[in-house]
Amino acid sequence: MQVKLIAYTRGVEGQTPLDIVEKCACVCYNSTPTDSYKVAKGCAKSGHMSVYEHVSFTFMIEGVSRALLAQLTRHRHASYSVQSQRYCDMSNCEFVTPNGWRDTDCTEALEDIRDAYITLLNRGVLKEDARMVLPNATPTNLAFTVNARALVEISGQRLCNRAQKEIRELFQGIKEEVKQVCPEIAALMLPQCEQHDVPFCAESNCCGKHKRLTELVK
């Protein structure tokens, strides 16, 4: 898996993404932007995250599974440009497999599927039809553009310990990329249980890192 930030929102005078958020947030209160981002940070703390929609980030993501893609595209407030299996030949792809597959015969099954795909192509079947045999383990590349508010909200779900390892690692990589250009927004990218002053778990099956809300209320 490779994750690379290729574009993000900056002001015409070279302002950072949080400079833009600060200016937009100040419109709400007739206030003057501060160098410490007091207004932007105050909005985040109070849950007034709409002001973070004014900045966005574009990532180039390579070598993730189609299973991950299916999870990622459930998040609506983002834009996706995905490698097409209709036009791209997947004969030489390297399947994405989880660690739990080690020392099993499942990788051999994937090779059989690859052979079936190649056989279909050799028989003149169009790529758009031959792709029907390909599994969720098939790799893909995509461009992913998302505003900062959505990025924080998605991170809350996908950085959770109960998220699948592949997509959790993707968002850890995305967070590291954002950290290079706007550490303040990266700091907001936390598991949902830690996006509160008092951490608590809202999952039905808790990982145990933090107490459930019902326990705290007691």
Side-chain angles (χ1 to χ4, degrees):
M1 177 193 303
Q2 293 185 353
V3 183
K4 182 68 176 176
L5 177 66
I6 63 170
Y8 61 96
T9 305
R10 285 175 280 191
V12 292
E13 297 177 356
Q15 295 99 332
T16 69
L18 208 62
D19 286 320
I20 306 302
V21 175
E22 179 78 1
K23 287 185 176 181
C24 295
C26 284
V27 172
C28 301
Y29 309 104
N30 286 334
S31 56
T32 302
T34 68
D35 293 334
S36 62
Y37 309 121
K38 178 181 178 180
V39 182
K41 291 179 179 179
C43 285
K45 188 173 181 63
S46 65
H48 183 192
M49 290 297 292
S50 63
V51 296
Y52 282 78
E53 294 175 11
H54 294 287
V55 299
S56 64
F57 302 87
T58 298
F59 305 90
M60 196 63 66
I61 301 170
E62 299 181 1
V64 296
S65 70
R66 281 270 169 167
L68 181 147
L69 177 65
Q71 296 178 69
L72 186 61
T73 52
R74 291 185 183 128
H75 300 290
R76 305 291 191 259
H77 300 293
S79 299
Y80 307 90
S81 296
V82 182
Q83 180 185 33
S84 172
Q85 290 182 342
R86 184 180 185 188
Y87 298 108
C88 299
D89 189 337
M90 307 305 295
S91 299
N92 297 315
C93 71
E94 294 292 331
F95 292 113
V96 180
T97 57
N99 291 336
W101 279 32
R102 291 177 181 173
D103 302 322
T104 70
D105 296 329
C106 294
T107 52
E108 294 180 12
L110 289 178
E111 293 304 320
D112 291 339
I113 290 173
R114 189 206 311 276
D115 291 342
Y117 175 79
I118 294 172
T119 297
L120 289 169
L121 294 182
N122 290 338
R123 291 180 179 178
V125 174
L126 297 176
K127 289 190 287 291
E128 65 182 34
D129 293 330
R131 64 178 168 167
M132 299 301 185
V133 77
L134 295 172
N136 275 336
T138 307
T140 194
N141 305 323
L142 68 144
F144 172 52
T145 299
V146 60
N147 70 57
R149 178 186 187 176
L151 186 57
V152 170
E153 292 176 352
I154 298 169
S155 296
Q157 293 178 304
R158 301 308 181 179
L159 288 176
C160 173
N161 283 340
R162 288 188 50 78
Q164 191 170 11
K165 184 173 183 289
E166 185 187 15
I167 200 165
R168 191 168 68 246
E169 290 178 346
L170 169 63
F171 274 86
Q172 288 167 348
I174 286 175
K175 180 175 181 177
E176 285 302 312
E177 288 292 295
V178 173
K179 187 176 180 180
Q180 302 305 312
V181 298
C182 192
E184 297 87 355
I185 289 178
L188 299 175
M189 297 171 61
L190 297 167
Q192 192 171 29
C193 61
E194 296 178 0
Q195 291 185 359
H196 320 279
D197 289 337
V198 179
F200 67 87
C201 178
E203 291 287 320
S204 57
N205 294 315
C206 183
C207 75
K209 184 177 181 180
H210 297 294
K211 292 183 178 180
R212 288 195 176 96
L213 180 59
T214 51
E215 296 178 81
L216 292 176
V217 171
K218 288 180 182 179

